[in-house]
Amino acid sequence: MIKLFHKTVNDDIWRDVLDLEKGSNLKVYFKGKDYYIIGHHKNHDENGGDSWLALSGFAKFDKESNIACKNEPSHIKDDSAIVTLRFSDIDYIEIFN
């Protein structure tokens, strides 16, 4: 179906690009911000203009230096720590499966 119609049976792109069984790590870049957040995909909510993304085991990094932001706690090793992000604030996402 993909080769013939360039379409999958999934209703949204997230089911095509995220590994919902083994998990995916995301690098999230924000509009007009000098940092990005790396974390593990926990969940996402599609609700039009008010859609959200949840990441666990996350940390904030400086875009220029790729070093963890000072005065920001790192939760990379803590899957119980969760951050929620509004999709409308996101510029783009890199996905690592």
Side-chain angles (χ1 to χ4, degrees):
M1 190 162 151
I2 294 171
K3 286 183 180 181
L4 186 59
F5 298 109
H6 302 287
K7 182 108 174 114
T8 68
V9 296
N10 295 322
D11 292 337
D12 62 63
I13 190 171
W14 299 111
R15 293 193 186 279
D16 292 330
V17 298
L18 294 172
D19 186 337
L20 299 176
E21 285 182 32
K22 297 178 186 170
S24 297
N25 292 313
L26 281 60
K27 190 174 183 180
V28 182
Y29 293 87
F30 299 90
K31 297 173 186 171
K33 301 295 182 187
D34 60 353
Y35 62 85
Y36 59 87
I37 292 179
I38 291 179
H40 188 76
H41 175 264
K42 182 77 172 169
N43 206 342
H44 63 276
D45 166 49
E46 292 193 49
N47 192 20
D50 192 29
S51 298
W52 291 79
L53 172 67
L55 301 178
S56 63
F58 66 93
K60 187 189 283 188
F61 293 85
D62 180 79
K63 265 182 164 179
E64 294 290 322
S65 67
N66 292 315
I67 296 173
C69 292
K70 294 180 181 176
N71 301 324
E72 292 282 342
S74 174
H75 301 284
I76 292 288
K77 296 180 180 182
D78 183 3
D79 279 340
S80 67
I82 298 170
V83 63
T84 56
L85 315 167
R86 189 181 3 231
F87 273 112
S88 61
D89 296 330
I90 296 172
D91 190 20
Y92 67 96
I93 302 171
E94 295 177 1
I95 301 170
F96 304 90
N97 291 323

